Amino acid sequence: MSGKDTLLPGGKGVWIPIDHGVSDFPVQGLEDLDKIIEQIAHADAIVAHKGVVSHYASSEANFVAHLSASTRHAGERKSDKMLVGSVEEALSRGALGVSVQVNLGSVEEPEMIERLASTTEYSHYLNCLAMGMMYPRGENLNIMEDDDTNGAAHAARLAFELGCDVVKTIWTGSIESFRKVTSCVPIPVLIAGGPSGSSTKEILSIVDQAMQAGAGGVCMGRQVFSHPNPKEMVSALKAIIHDGASVEQVMEEFGL
């Protein structure tokens, strides 16, 4: 079975990123990696930095190595995501795929695009799945007048045209607008978790709406690893995304 089939069974995926400890720390839910990885190992993929991938490669989890990094201490350049690894290194450490972040509208956007393209080049030659984490949120973001996706459709299209196999981007707020994102690319579109503070039902309802709009699943971090019941949240997400279960069904079944 290929990495793509493992990470995106049926073209859909429940991916849980836990790379947040590089940009910020401490982070609620990520203090004990042994514990959280055990709780979310049944996700289709865990997105993590290379040291985490190496340390936990022998676990039951499937890993995607995130190759972009910056920290909160970089001042004006804190949104400039630098490459901190290669595709070949990620595979040798036990990853089944790689991920690179681009912040559209940031001053450093051109360099981040170049890093993404370089990564998808090597991913192509090494037959490695590549995801673009595409966030339209920089200070120079220039939303077109008729774009009610707030740049998400452009972000998804950029990822696809530069060779990504899957893209993560923002939820646009409605089924109608998000369908414009999913319909503009032939690759799975995973939604990010969005702002913290949402209730469990609100989170799962957004996922349900995204799936109705043609999404490929989620790449959702804090809404899962900071949740009081991370294991049950992963199970609920898998039921909605892979089995078409309703929000009410999963909340009852998994005690959420």
Side-chain angles (χ1 to χ4, degrees):
M1 184 177 289
S2 70
K4 186 173 184 178
D5 292 334
T6 300
L7 300 172
L8 293 165
K12 298 177 181 178
V14 175
W15 290 20
I16 312 300
I18 60 170
D19 57 294
H20 306 61
V22 164
S23 54
D24 296 288
F25 201 79
V27 178
Q28 180 184 347
L30 295 183
E31 300 92 344
D32 186 339
L33 281 177
D34 287 357
K35 180 179 179 181
I36 193 61
I37 288 176
E38 181 180 3
Q39 291 175 321
I40 66 174
H42 58 306
D44 296 311
I46 296 175
V47 183
H49 281 285
K50 59 187 182 181
V52 176
V53 173
S54 285
H55 192 80
Y56 294 97
S58 61
S59 71
E60 296 180 1
N62 301 317
F63 284 99
V64 170
H66 192 45
L67 303 182
S68 295
S70 66
T71 80
R72 64 183 295 121
H73 312 292
E76 293 181 355
R77 294 190 62 189
K78 65 182 180 181
S79 69
D80 187 6
K81 300 297 181 178
M82 308 297 292
L83 280 182
V84 290
S86 68
V87 177
E88 186 174 17
E89 179 190 11
L91 292 173
S92 71
R93 287 177 179 270
L96 298 178
V98 295
S99 170
V100 172
Q101 182 170 333
V102 175
N103 294 320
L104 275 74
S106 294
V107 174
E108 303 87 359
E109 180 197 289
E111 289 80 9
M112 284 185 272
I113 288 176
E114 186 175 41
R115 294 162 199 154
L116 174 66
S118 174
T119 300
T120 58
E121 175 188 359
Y122 289 106
S123 295
H124 170 69
Y125 292 132
L126 295 171
N127 194 29
C128 174
L129 181 144
M131 177 175 73
M133 279 193 186
M134 314 296 285
Y135 295 111
R137 62 186 184 192
E139 61 270 37
N140 293 327
L141 194 64
N142 184 9
I143 302 298
M144 297 177 69
E145 190 173 323
D146 59 347
D147 181 14
D148 61 354
T149 73
N150 291 315
H154 190 188
R157 189 59 174 253
L158 176 62
F160 166 63
E161 296 213 19
L162 292 186
C164 292
D165 303 291
V166 56
V167 59
K168 170 186 179 177
T169 194
I170 59 170
W171 166 243
T172 57
S174 71
I175 294 173
E176 182 182 10
S177 61
F178 200 71
R179 191 173 282 125
K180 296 176 183 178
V181 180
T182 62
S183 64
C184 77
V185 293
I187 59 175
V189 180
L190 309 182
I191 63 166
S196 58
S198 301
S199 69
T200 299
K201 186 174 183 179
E202 288 171 337
I203 296 165
L204 296 177
S205 295
I206 287 174
V207 174
D208 181 56
Q209 291 176 68
M211 297 309 295
Q212 292 180 54
V218 300
C219 188
M220 186 174 285
R222 294 178 192 271
Q223 308 286 24
V224 175
F225 63 68
S226 293
H227 193 277
N229 302 297
K231 184 175 183 179
E232 289 75 15
M233 275 296 284
V234 171
S235 297
L237 290 169
K238 291 184 73 174
I240 292 172
I241 291 165
H242 291 300
D243 304 325
S246 71
V247 174
E248 292 73 19
Q249 284 176 319
V250 300
M251 289 192 71
E252 181 178 356
E253 180 177 354
F254 299 109
L256 297 168

